[in-house]
Short mmCIF file of all heavy atoms in Angstrom, two decimals:
data_model
loop_
_atom_site.label_atom_id
_atom_site.label_comp_id
_atom_site.label_asym_id
_atom_site.label_seq_id
_atom_site.Cartn_x
_atom_site.Cartn_y
_atom_site.Cartn_z
N ASP D 1 18.56 32.95 123.19
CA ASP D 1 17.58 32.35 124.10
C ASP D 1 16.48 33.37 124.38
O ASP D 1 16.58 34.20 125.29
CB ASP D 1 18.28 31.92 125.39
CG ASP D 1 19.38 30.90 125.14
OD1 ASP D 1 19.24 30.12 124.18
OD2 ASP D 1 20.37 30.89 125.89
N THR D 2 15.43 33.30 123.57
CA THR D 2 14.46 34.39 123.53
C THR D 2 13.09 34.05 124.11
O THR D 2 12.27 34.96 124.29
CB THR D 2 14.26 34.84 122.07
OG1 THR D 2 13.88 33.70 121.27
CG2 THR D 2 15.54 35.43 121.50
N THR D 3 12.79 32.79 124.41
CA THR D 3 11.48 32.46 124.95
C THR D 3 11.62 31.60 126.20
O THR D 3 12.69 31.06 126.49
CB THR D 3 10.60 31.70 123.92
OG1 THR D 3 10.98 30.31 123.89
CG2 THR D 3 10.73 32.29 122.52
N VAL D 4 10.51 31.46 126.94
CA VAL D 4 10.50 30.63 128.16
C VAL D 4 9.45 29.52 128.04
O VAL D 4 8.90 29.07 129.05
CB VAL D 4 10.25 31.49 129.41
CG1 VAL D 4 11.42 32.43 129.65
CG2 VAL D 4 8.95 32.26 129.31
N ASP D 5 9.19 29.07 126.83
CA ASP D 5 8.17 28.03 126.63
C ASP D 5 8.46 26.78 127.44
O ASP D 5 7.55 26.14 127.97
CB ASP D 5 8.06 27.68 125.13
CG ASP D 5 7.51 28.82 124.31
OD1 ASP D 5 8.33 29.67 123.88
OD2 ASP D 5 6.30 28.89 124.12
N TYR D 6 9.74 26.40 127.53
CA TYR D 6 10.07 25.16 128.24
C TYR D 6 9.68 25.26 129.72
O TYR D 6 9.29 24.26 130.33
CB TYR D 6 11.56 24.84 128.11
CG TYR D 6 11.86 23.41 128.51
CD1 TYR D 6 11.95 22.42 127.54
CD2 TYR D 6 11.99 23.04 129.85
CE1 TYR D 6 12.18 21.09 127.90
CE2 TYR D 6 12.23 21.73 130.21
CZ TYR D 6 12.31 20.76 129.24
OH TYR D 6 12.51 19.45 129.60
N THR D 7 9.74 26.44 130.27
CA THR D 7 9.47 26.62 131.69
C THR D 7 8.08 26.11 132.07
O THR D 7 7.91 25.41 133.08
CB THR D 7 9.57 28.11 132.06
OG1 THR D 7 10.83 28.61 131.59
CG2 THR D 7 9.45 28.32 133.56
N LEU D 8 7.10 26.44 131.27
CA LEU D 8 5.71 26.09 131.58
C LEU D 8 5.26 24.80 130.92
O LEU D 8 4.41 24.09 131.46
CB LEU D 8 4.78 27.23 131.16
CG LEU D 8 5.03 28.58 131.85
CD1 LEU D 8 4.12 29.64 131.28
CD2 LEU D 8 4.83 28.45 133.36
N ASN D 9 5.83 24.47 129.75
CA ASN D 9 5.31 23.36 128.95
C ASN D 9 6.19 22.12 128.95
O ASN D 9 5.73 21.02 128.63
CB ASN D 9 5.11 23.81 127.49
CG ASN D 9 4.24 25.04 127.39
OD1 ASN D 9 3.25 25.17 128.11
ND2 ASN D 9 4.61 25.96 126.49
N GLY D 10 7.48 22.30 129.25
CA GLY D 10 8.39 21.17 129.16
C GLY D 10 8.83 20.86 127.76
O GLY D 10 9.39 19.80 127.49
N TRP D 11 8.60 21.78 126.83
CA TRP D 11 9.06 21.61 125.45
C TRP D 11 9.23 22.98 124.83
O TRP D 11 8.71 23.99 125.32
CB TRP D 11 8.10 20.77 124.62
CG TRP D 11 6.65 21.19 124.72
CD1 TRP D 11 5.71 20.68 125.56
CD2 TRP D 11 5.99 22.22 123.97
NE1 TRP D 11 4.50 21.31 125.40
CE2 TRP D 11 4.64 22.26 124.41
CE3 TRP D 11 6.38 23.10 122.97
CZ2 TRP D 11 3.71 23.15 123.90
CZ3 TRP D 11 5.46 24.00 122.44
CH2 TRP D 11 4.14 24.01 122.90
N CYS D 12 10.00 23.02 123.73
CA CYS D 12 10.24 24.27 123.00
C CYS D 12 9.54 24.21 121.65
O CYS D 12 9.38 23.14 121.05
CB CYS D 12 11.74 24.48 122.77
SG CYS D 12 12.65 24.88 124.28
N PRO D 13 9.10 25.35 121.12
CA PRO D 13 8.46 25.38 119.81
C PRO D 13 9.39 24.87 118.71
O PRO D 13 10.62 24.86 118.86
CB PRO D 13 8.12 26.86 119.61
CG PRO D 13 8.15 27.46 120.97
CD PRO D 13 9.15 26.68 121.74
N SER D 14 8.81 24.50 117.62
CA SER D 14 9.58 24.02 116.48
C SER D 14 10.60 25.06 116.05
O SER D 14 10.31 26.26 115.97
CB SER D 14 8.63 23.72 115.31
OG SER D 14 9.36 23.31 114.17
N GLY D 15 11.81 24.61 115.79
CA GLY D 15 12.87 25.50 115.37
C GLY D 15 13.72 26.03 116.51
O GLY D 15 14.76 26.66 116.28
N LEU D 16 13.29 25.77 117.76
CA LEU D 16 14.04 26.20 118.93
C LEU D 16 14.51 24.98 119.72
O LEU D 16 13.92 23.91 119.63
CB LEU D 16 13.20 27.11 119.82
CG LEU D 16 12.63 28.38 119.20
CD1 LEU D 16 11.86 29.18 120.24
CD2 LEU D 16 13.72 29.24 118.57
N VAL D 17 15.54 25.17 120.52
CA VAL D 17 16.08 24.09 121.36
C VAL D 17 16.08 24.55 122.81
O VAL D 17 16.11 25.76 123.10
CB VAL D 17 17.50 23.69 120.93
CG1 VAL D 17 17.51 23.17 119.51
CG2 VAL D 17 18.47 24.88 121.08
N GLU D 18 16.06 23.59 123.75
CA GLU D 18 16.14 23.97 125.14
C GLU D 18 17.51 24.58 125.44
O GLU D 18 18.55 24.06 125.02
CB GLU D 18 15.92 22.76 126.06
CG GLU D 18 15.92 23.16 127.54
CD GLU D 18 15.84 21.99 128.50
OE1 GLU D 18 15.80 20.83 128.04
OE2 GLU D 18 15.82 22.24 129.73
N ALA D 19 17.51 25.68 126.18
CA ALA D 19 18.75 26.34 126.57
C ALA D 19 19.33 25.61 127.79
O ALA D 19 18.73 25.63 128.86
CB ALA D 19 18.49 27.80 126.90
N PRO D 20 20.50 24.98 127.65
CA PRO D 20 21.07 24.18 128.75
C PRO D 20 21.91 25.03 129.70
O PRO D 20 23.13 24.84 129.84
CB PRO D 20 21.91 23.15 128.01
CG PRO D 20 22.41 23.89 126.80
CD PRO D 20 21.31 24.85 126.42
N SER D 21 21.27 25.94 130.43
CA SER D 21 22.01 26.83 131.32
C SER D 21 22.85 26.05 132.32
O SER D 21 23.92 26.52 132.75
CB SER D 21 21.04 27.75 132.06
OG SER D 21 20.39 28.63 131.18
N PHE D 22 22.38 24.87 132.73
CA PHE D 22 23.09 24.10 133.76
C PHE D 22 24.44 23.60 133.29
O PHE D 22 25.27 23.21 134.12
CB PHE D 22 22.21 22.94 134.22
CG PHE D 22 22.10 21.79 133.25
CD1 PHE D 22 22.74 20.59 133.49
CD2 PHE D 22 21.34 21.90 132.09
CE1 PHE D 22 22.63 19.52 132.61
CE2 PHE D 22 21.20 20.85 131.21
CZ PHE D 22 21.86 19.65 131.46
N LEU D 23 24.69 23.59 131.98
CA LEU D 23 26.00 23.17 131.47
C LEU D 23 26.98 24.33 131.37
O LEU D 23 28.13 24.14 131.00
CB LEU D 23 25.84 22.52 130.09
CG LEU D 23 25.01 21.24 130.04
CD1 LEU D 23 24.92 20.72 128.61
CD2 LEU D 23 25.59 20.17 130.97
N GLY D 24 26.52 25.53 131.73
CA GLY D 24 27.34 26.72 131.54
C GLY D 24 28.50 26.87 132.49
O GLY D 24 29.35 27.76 132.31
N TYR D 25 28.57 26.03 133.53
CA TYR D 25 29.68 26.09 134.49
C TYR D 25 30.52 24.83 134.41
O TYR D 25 31.26 24.50 135.35
CB TYR D 25 29.14 26.29 135.91
CG TYR D 25 28.07 27.35 135.97
CD1 TYR D 25 26.72 26.98 136.08
CD2 TYR D 25 28.37 28.69 135.86
CE1 TYR D 25 25.71 27.93 136.09
CE2 TYR D 25 27.37 29.66 135.87
CZ TYR D 25 26.05 29.27 135.99
OH TYR D 25 25.06 30.22 135.99
N GLU D 26 30.43 24.13 133.28
CA GLU D 26 31.16 22.87 133.14
C GLU D 26 32.66 23.09 133.25
O GLU D 26 33.39 22.21 133.74
CB GLU D 26 30.81 22.21 131.81
CG GLU D 26 31.23 20.77 131.73
CD GLU D 26 30.36 19.97 130.77
OE1 GLU D 26 30.52 20.16 129.54
OE2 GLU D 26 29.53 19.17 131.23
N TYR D 27 33.15 24.25 132.83
CA TYR D 27 34.58 24.54 132.95
C TYR D 27 35.03 24.47 134.40
O TYR D 27 36.16 24.06 134.70
CB TYR D 27 34.90 25.91 132.35
CG TYR D 27 34.20 27.09 133.02
CD1 TYR D 27 34.76 27.75 134.11
CD2 TYR D 27 32.97 27.54 132.56
CE1 TYR D 27 34.13 28.82 134.71
CE2 TYR D 27 32.32 28.61 133.16
CZ TYR D 27 32.90 29.25 134.24
OH TYR D 27 32.26 30.31 134.84
N SER D 28 34.16 24.85 135.33
CA SER D 28 34.50 24.78 136.76
C SER D 28 34.18 23.42 137.35
O SER D 28 34.93 22.90 138.18
CB SER D 28 33.75 25.87 137.53
OG SER D 28 34.07 25.85 138.89
N ALA D 29 33.06 22.82 136.94
CA ALA D 29 32.66 21.52 137.47
C ALA D 29 33.74 20.47 137.19
O ALA D 29 34.11 19.68 138.07
CB ALA D 29 31.33 21.09 136.87
N ARG D 30 34.25 20.45 135.97
CA ARG D 30 35.29 19.48 135.63
C ARG D 30 36.58 19.76 136.39
O ARG D 30 37.28 18.84 136.83
CB ARG D 30 35.53 19.50 134.12
CG ARG D 30 34.38 18.86 133.33
CD ARG D 30 34.54 19.04 131.84
NE ARG D 30 33.56 18.24 131.10
CZ ARG D 30 33.28 18.39 129.82
NH1 ARG D 30 33.91 19.33 129.10
NH2 ARG D 30 32.38 17.62 129.23
N HIS D 31 36.91 21.04 136.53
CA HIS D 31 38.12 21.41 137.27
C HIS D 31 38.03 20.94 138.72
O HIS D 31 38.97 20.33 139.26
CB HIS D 31 38.27 22.93 137.20
CG HIS D 31 39.51 23.46 137.87
ND1 HIS D 31 40.76 23.00 137.60
CD2 HIS D 31 39.67 24.44 138.80
CE1 HIS D 31 41.66 23.66 138.31
NE2 HIS D 31 41.02 24.53 139.07
N LEU D 32 36.89 21.18 139.35
CA LEU D 32 36.73 20.79 140.76
C LEU D 32 36.63 19.27 140.92
O LEU D 32 37.11 18.72 141.91
CB LEU D 32 35.50 21.49 141.34
CG LEU D 32 35.72 22.99 141.59
CD1 LEU D 32 34.41 23.73 141.69
CD2 LEU D 32 36.56 23.21 142.84
N ALA D 33 36.02 18.59 139.93
CA ALA D 33 35.99 17.13 139.98
C ALA D 33 37.40 16.56 139.94
O ALA D 33 37.70 15.56 140.60
CB ALA D 33 35.15 16.58 138.84
N SER D 34 38.28 17.22 139.19
CA SER D 34 39.67 16.74 139.11
C SER D 34 40.41 16.92 140.44
O SER D 34 41.46 16.33 140.66
CB SER D 34 40.43 17.47 137.99
OG SER D 34 40.85 18.76 138.39
N TRP D 35 39.84 17.72 141.33
CA TRP D 35 40.41 17.92 142.66
C TRP D 35 39.66 17.14 143.73
O TRP D 35 39.83 17.39 144.93
CB TRP D 35 40.45 19.41 143.01
CG TRP D 35 41.57 20.11 142.29
CD1 TRP D 35 41.49 20.83 141.13
CD2 TRP D 35 42.94 20.14 142.68
NE1 TRP D 35 42.72 21.31 140.77
CE2 TRP D 35 43.64 20.90 141.71
CE3 TRP D 35 43.66 19.60 143.74
CZ2 TRP D 35 45.01 21.12 141.78
CZ3 TRP D 35 45.03 19.82 143.81
CH2 TRP D 35 45.69 20.57 142.84
N GLY D 36 38.81 16.23 143.31
CA GLY D 36 38.19 15.33 144.26
C GLY D 36 36.84 15.77 144.79
O GLY D 36 36.41 15.29 145.85
#
């Protein structure tokens, strides 16, 4: 994850994908959802 183009433009240059940082805690989100 080397650029911040999405931050200002809402898109990434060709050959790059948006870095989904918000999915990085899914291991905990699913665990806590299982506890209500």
Side-chain angles (χ1 to χ4, degrees):
D1 300 329
T2 55
T3 80
V4 293
D5 293 87
Y6 195 96
T7 308
L8 299 176
N9 305 320
W11 49 266
C12 290
S14 177
L16 302 182
V17 298
E18 184 186 1
S21 294
F22 74 107
L23 297 179
Y25 315 104
E26 194 153 74
Y27 61 89
S28 181
R30 288 173 171 166
H31 183 52
L32 287 160
S34 79
W35 284 97

